[in-house]
Amino acid sequence: ITQGNNKVYKAALYIRLSKEDGDKEESESVINQRKILEEYAKENNYHVYDEYVDDGFSGTNFNRPDFKRMIRDIENKKINMVITKSLSRLGRDYIETGRYIESYFPENEIRYIAILDDVDTFLDKNCDFVAFKNIMNDYYAKETSKNIKKTKNKKKKEGFYYITYAPFGYRKI
């Protein structure tokens, strides 16, 4: 439980996915993220305080129930480490994500780790490349949204009836 600086880490495993997997109770990506985070915590002897899962929530804002719960636990000093699979799982809004990594976490003595992006704020205090990755994550979210809108508009112009639910008395096939 004690690591390099003799500090005992109480880790939050944060998992996020923006689109739900149909009728499954929990999406495959969430299951895979959990497995990666649990194995990483175990390999590094980090005590996991709790797991925070926002399945079906966009990374373009931080108005997510379990993210808010994690922030409350940070403020109540229950955790001092946040681990995500990648930077994009924390968030895709580069300004807010950067604010958390560069200001909020250090001010609250939180060690942040993004496993696949090789980010560890304890080992590399500067994390200069993090800003660039966050910009790319933000760009990806905006491009995806733009492309989805273009596809929907194209289908409408081509005469496709584009709604989620069938009108009353009809059913989609």
Side-chain angles (χ1 to χ4, degrees):
I1 294 179
T2 58
Q3 306 302 318
N5 62 352
N6 293 325
K7 187 171 190 169
V8 176
Y9 286 104
K10 297 170 282 182
L13 305 183
Y14 184 72
I15 298 167
R16 183 193 63 76
L17 182 69
S18 57
K19 292 188 179 168
E20 296 175 305
D21 258 1
D23 62 350
K24 294 180 184 174
E25 188 148 322
E26 194 172 71
S27 69
E28 290 295 319
S29 180
V30 167
I31 293 166
N32 292 335
Q33 285 181 59
R34 176 179 292 115
K35 185 177 178 185
I36 290 168
L37 297 178
E38 287 174 348
E39 285 176 9
Y40 183 85
K42 186 177 180 181
E43 287 170 11
N44 291 282
N45 296 318
Y46 297 137
H47 169 73
V48 175
Y49 174 77
D50 206 350
E51 175 185 284
Y52 304 80
V53 181
D54 284 317
D55 193 359
F57 288 87
S58 172
T60 58
N61 70 66
F62 287 86
N63 189 21
R64 303 175 232 143
D66 255 20
F67 184 82
K68 288 180 175 182
R69 183 172 69 88
M70 182 177 74
I71 294 300
R72 281 192 304 274
D73 285 349
I74 287 171
E75 290 170 357
N76 290 323
K77 307 290 185 212
K78 294 179 179 178
I79 57 176
N80 56 6
M81 173 186 276
V82 174
I83 306 172
T84 60
K85 178 184 135 191
S86 64
L87 287 164
S88 65
R89 298 303 92 207
L90 183 65
R92 288 195 182 274
D93 175 329
Y94 82 94
I95 293 172
E96 279 300 297
T97 305
R99 187 180 71 77
Y100 277 103
I101 294 169
E102 295 176 26
S103 298
Y104 183 82
F105 288 164
E107 288 166 7
N108 288 279
E109 298 178 5
I110 300 298
R111 179 178 180 179
Y112 173 66
I113 296 172
I115 299 167
L116 299 182
D117 290 315
D118 201 27
V119 172
D120 185 335
T121 57
F122 173 71
L123 299 177
D124 183 10
K125 302 278 188 226
N126 295 329
C127 292
D128 294 333
F129 72 96
V130 169
F132 295 111
K133 285 192 174 196
N134 284 335
I135 288 171
M136 293 310 296
N137 289 332
D138 187 294
Y139 173 77
Y140 175 80
K142 288 176 181 168
E143 280 299 300
T144 301
S145 176
K146 195 165 49 171
N147 290 336
I148 289 170
K149 286 177 188 171
K150 281 181 185 177
T151 301
K152 285 182 180 180
N153 288 334
K154 184 175 184 263
K155 286 187 178 236
K156 285 179 193 174
K157 285 180 183 176
E158 292 173 353
F160 286 95
Y161 194 58
Y162 199 84
I163 60 170
T164 306
Y165 301 101
F168 183 72
Y170 293 86
R171 64 183 172 148
K172 289 177 76 170
I173 53 172

